[in-house]
């Protein structure tokens, strides 16, 4: 059901830059509980995946999902570095890498290497320390990409 709801919302977003929904109406449309709509939005429409979510509670409340449009590669890398912050878990780190690959900021090979470096098997098992180390590593990789010539990377991706 989660995949179906996600596909529906992405189809709407493909036709327009943003979608404004009422949780109860979507739940009724898909014959599910409103909390399932929350789950889809909270896990499938994150900033790491290129979406901004705004909500207003109450009787006239809504949830607005906006597909983020990045102006250029440098903006994307800077945004991702800000999003990563001082700590990031493996799932969110993977989302960041996948988004960069989808937007052709990094090559398939770069994505594979970055994903290996994000894998939980490489870390100590202490979540707070692991998330900080993962964050430092990923931010350093992205900062390094900022100083590489974009045209050279695009030629390497071919």
């Amino acid at each position: 059901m989660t995949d179906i709801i996600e596909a529906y919302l992405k189809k709407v977003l493909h036709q327009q830059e943003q979608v404004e929904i009422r949780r109860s109406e979507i739940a009724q449309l898909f014959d599910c509980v409103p909390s399932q709509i929350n789950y889809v939005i909270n896990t499938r429409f994150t900033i790491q995946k290129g979406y901004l979510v705004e909500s207003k509670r109450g009787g006239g409340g809504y949830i607005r999902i906006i597909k983020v449009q990045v102006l250029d590669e440098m903006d994307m890398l800077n945004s991702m570095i800000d999003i990563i912050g001082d700590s990031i878990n493996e799932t969110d780190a993977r989302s960041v890498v996948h988004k960069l690959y989808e937007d052709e900021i990094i090559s398939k090979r770069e994505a594979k290497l970055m994903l290996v470096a994000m894998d939980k098997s490489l870390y100590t098992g202490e979540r707070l320390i692991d998330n900080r180390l993962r964050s430092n590593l990923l931010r350093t990789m992205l900062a390094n990409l900022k100083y590489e010539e974009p045209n050279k990377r695009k030629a390497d991706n071919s």
Side-chain angles (χ1 to χ4, degrees), residues 89-144:
N89 64 38
E90 182 185 12
T91 303
D92 289 345
R94 288 181 166 282
S95 294
V96 167
V97 173
H98 286 291
K99 178 67 177 155
L100 292 169
Y101 175 68
E102 286 172 9
D103 288 354
E104 298 180 352
I105 306 290
I106 60 175
S107 70
K108 186 175 185 177
R109 183 176 184 184
E110 288 168 330
K112 283 181 176 182
L113 291 171
M114 291 171 92
L115 289 172
V116 167
M118 298 300 107
D119 192 89
K120 66 183 172 193
S121 67
L122 299 175
Y123 297 90
T124 66
E126 292 189 39
R127 191 181 52 151
L128 294 175
I129 294 170
D130 292 352
N131 290 349
R132 285 187 177 152
L133 288 170
R134 188 179 288 111
S135 166
N136 287 339
L137 184 57
L138 188 54
R139 283 184 295 127
T140 301
M141 287 181 200
L142 299 185
N144 183 270

Side-chain angles (χ1 to χ4, degrees), residues 2 5-6 9 35-45:
T2 307
I5 297 167
E6 175 188 15
L9 292 172
S35 61
Q36 191 156 13
I37 305 304
N38 281 350
Y39 175 79
V40 171
I41 291 168
N42 291 335
T43 60
R44 309 287 176 97
F45 293 92

Side-chain angles (χ1 to χ4, degrees), residues 15-120:
Q15 297 166 353
Q16 52 195 44
E17 287 182 20
Q18 68 181 19
V19 62
E20 200 170 286
I21 61 169
R22 292 199 174 11
R23 199 172 59 125
S24 58
E25 290 174 6
I26 298 295
Q28 190 174 14
L29 178 68
F30 289 99
D31 195 26
C32 67
V33 293
S35 61
Q36 191 156 13
I37 305 304
N38 281 350
Y39 175 79
V40 171
I41 291 168
N42 291 335
T43 60
R44 309 287 176 97
F45 293 92
T46 63
I47 191 69
Q48 293 92 340
K49 294 181 180 179
Y51 299 95
L52 182 62
V53 177
E54 300 172 349
S55 63
K56 180 184 173 219
R57 299 197 182 272
Y62 61 84
I63 298 172
R64 181 180 297 138
I65 304 170
I66 305 164
K67 177 86 171 137
V68 177
Q69 299 296 321
V70 178
L71 299 176
D72 63 20
E73 226 174 86
M74 191 64 73
D75 284 343
M76 172 65 102
L77 291 169
N78 286 331
S79 295
M80 289 301 181
I81 289 168
D82 289 343
I83 288 166
I84 293 164
D86 294 332
S87 178
I88 191 167
N89 64 38
E90 182 185 12
T91 303
D92 289 345
R94 288 181 166 282
S95 294
V96 167
V97 173
H98 286 291
K99 178 67 177 155
L100 292 169
Y101 175 68
E102 286 172 9
D103 288 354
E104 298 180 352
I105 306 290
I106 60 175
S107 70
K108 186 175 185 177
R109 183 176 184 184
E110 288 168 330
K112 283 181 176 182
L113 291 171
M114 291 171 92
L115 289 172
V116 167
M118 298 300 107
D119 192 89
K120 66 183 172 193

